[in-house]
């Protein structure tokens, strides 16, 4: 699946995406062309989608995660110029969960999640030119320990 620049994905508390083959999410460098994964309560991107007039503010863990499963074709799972906000579950799971997979993450922003990226099992993601801040537990949580995670500025 390919996502077009400017797409905003808003999820509810139990919302998640499960990737078993390929996902190509490449946004653009301008604010209106970024691809955003966030909570239904996040009015900053896409406006007041839940029509509550900002009664319910977004919060850490307001939606689950994007899981990259071990059946995914690593070379075909790429995130570039994406934003991940208010995702993750508990202290272990990130807004992106790499489960025996090795996606590419380039020029992305991870903010206000429980954990930015969780690396589980035999995963070896490549993270570069990305910002990870304001995440409650970890920026990157390498629970698998099968590989060192390459994260470069």
């Amino acid at each position: 699946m390919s996502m077009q620049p400017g797409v905003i994905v808003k999820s509810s508390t139990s919302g998640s995406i499960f990737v078993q083959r390929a996902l190509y999410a490449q946004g653009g460098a301008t604010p209106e062309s970024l691809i955003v994964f966030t909570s239904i309560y996040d009015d900053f991107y896409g406006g007041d989608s839940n029509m509550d007039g900002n009664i319910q503010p977004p919060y850490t863990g307001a939606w689950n995660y994007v899981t990259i499963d071990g059946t995914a074709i690593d070379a075909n799972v790429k995130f570039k110029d994406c934003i991940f906000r208010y995702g993750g579950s508990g202290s272990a799971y990130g807004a992106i969960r790499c489960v025996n997979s090795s996606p590419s993450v380039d020029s992305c922003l991870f903010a206000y999640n429980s954990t930015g990226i969780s690396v589980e099992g035999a995963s070896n993601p490549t993270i570069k030119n990305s910002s990870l801040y304001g995440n409650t537990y970890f920026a990157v949580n390498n629970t698998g320990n099968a590989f060192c995670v390459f994260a470069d500025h």
Side-chain angles (χ1 to χ4, degrees), residues 16-118:
S16 59
I17 297 171
F18 194 74
V19 179
Q20 292 185 304
R21 287 289 180 237
L23 175 63
Y24 191 65
Q26 181 170 343
T30 61
E32 63 276 357
S33 65
L34 296 166
I35 294 175
V36 179
F37 298 87
T38 191
S39 163
I40 191 74
Y41 305 120
D42 186 356
D43 295 345
F44 187 81
Y45 290 100
D48 188 7
S49 300
N50 63 339
M51 311 275 239
D52 73 345
N54 203 23
I55 291 172
Q56 172 66 53
Y59 56 91
T60 297
W63 64 279
N64 282 334
Y65 31 72
V66 176
T67 300
I68 313 304
D69 187 56
T71 60
I73 303 163
D74 292 334
N76 292 331
V77 182
K78 298 179 182 184
F79 297 93
K80 182 166 176 41
D81 294 317
C82 296
I83 295 176
F84 296 84
R85 291 170 33 120
Y86 303 109
S89 179
S91 62
Y93 299 137
I96 290 182
R97 288 185 64 201
C98 305
V99 181
N100 298 313
S101 62
S102 302
S104 171
V105 177
D106 184 5
S107 304
C108 292
L109 170 70
F110 294 82
Y112 317 120
N113 302 291
S114 326
T115 293
I117 301 170
S118 57

